[in-house]
Amino acid sequence: MAVTIAVYVAGGVSGGHINPAVSFAMCLTGRLKWAKFPFYVSAQFLGAMAGSAAIFGIYYDALYNYTGGILTVDGPNATAYIFATYPQPYLSILGGFADQVMSTALLLIGVFAIFDNKNLGTPKGLEPIAVGLLILLLGLSLGMNSGCAMNPARDLGPRIFTAMAGWGMDVFTYGNNWWWVPVVGPMVGAAIGAFIYVLCIEAHCSDYIIEDAHNSLEVDHYEKQEFTNMA
């Protein structure tokens, strides 16, 4: 829901980019100019850090009441996972990397489909809702291993903030130096997902095929209404 609102708020100005992996994939496929990429990524990281600072400030009393002022990454009163993702004890680095690659690849396939006018597409104005539902789906189905970051900014930005806010360098060293996995994995997954969509779907879309599909849907809808009226 937060992503949906963010895209509604900023979509008309910047396209609602809040994920460096998505911006990277769009640059790779010619949907975004490379000259804009560093500015988008900088804003995404700064936004993630600002969001973390806001949550820390609003819940400062609650955090210190719960932890007794001892901010930790691990243990019974650990709170660092509120801000960034951390692996389950059973998860290996390789397994976590594969998790992030796969989840982000699926994210990009879905995002490209939602905004593809040559595909079935999404009604204008409802794209942010579709993106929010896509992220909800991926989070519920693939979030158990490590929280399903799929976004380098939303993970590394808050991690940097927590390191400065009292959790210390444990936020980087925990889980066999886990921190780089939700940064590199999504970037690799985004490239893979983007090229899968372009090669397997977009390259085979035709304006005529889509027009025929829409006409077929309209005829089907008309026939269903006629049957309803007859009943």
Side-chain angles (χ1 to χ4, degrees):
M1 293 177 70
V3 171
T4 294
I5 297 303
V7 177
Y8 270 123
V9 169
V13 176
S14 67
H17 289 228
I18 57 175
N19 187 340
V22 174
S23 302
F24 179 62
M26 294 186 72
C27 287
L28 286 176
T29 54
R31 289 166 165 79
L32 180 68
K33 294 180 180 178
W34 281 105
K36 294 183 177 181
F37 183 68
F39 297 101
Y40 275 57
V41 172
S42 298
Q44 289 155 355
F45 274 92
L46 289 173
M49 294 182 70
S52 299
I55 293 299
F56 182 75
I58 292 294
Y59 287 102
Y60 179 85
D61 293 335
L63 283 167
Y64 273 80
N65 179 67
Y66 179 71
T67 64
I70 302 173
L71 303 177
T72 60
V73 177
D74 196 11
N77 290 340
T79 48
Y81 63 85
I82 294 172
F83 299 88
T85 65
Y86 293 88
Q88 292 284 0
Y90 59 77
L91 188 66
S92 67
I93 291 293
L94 181 60
F97 187 80
D99 171 279
Q100 286 301 289
V101 169
M102 178 179 177
S103 59
T104 312
L106 293 174
L107 171 67
L108 264 296
I109 291 171
V111 167
F112 274 28
I114 289 168
F115 290 94
D116 187 357
N117 292 327
K118 291 185 177 181
N119 206 325
L120 292 178
T122 304
K124 186 173 177 57
L126 295 181
E127 296 94 341
I129 295 176
V131 172
L133 289 173
L134 171 62
I135 293 173
L136 175 64
L137 168 65
L138 294 173
L140 291 175
S141 58
L142 297 173
M144 184 175 177
N145 282 331
S146 61
C148 207
M150 301 185 296
N151 184 334
R154 65 79 78 212
D155 198 87
L156 183 57
R159 200 179 299 274
I160 293 172
F161 171 79
T162 51
M164 298 186 296
W167 281 266
M169 296 305 293
D170 285 349
V171 300
F172 292 102
T173 59
Y174 183 80
N176 293 321
N177 300 303
W178 165 262
W179 70 272
W180 66 271
V181 175
V183 175
V184 179
M187 302 300 278
V188 175
I192 293 173
F195 282 113
I196 286 176
Y197 187 83
V198 169
L199 293 174
C200 298
I201 303 296
E202 187 175 89
H204 305 283
C205 281
S206 166
D207 293 334
Y208 298 105
I209 293 174
I210 298 304
E211 185 178 348
D212 290 344
H214 282 302
N215 291 338
S216 177
L217 287 171
E218 289 177 2
V219 170
D220 183 57
H221 178 68
Y222 174 77
E223 290 179 347
K224 287 179 179 178
Q225 279 198 323
E226 286 298 302
F227 282 123
T228 302
N229 293 335
M230 290 172 63

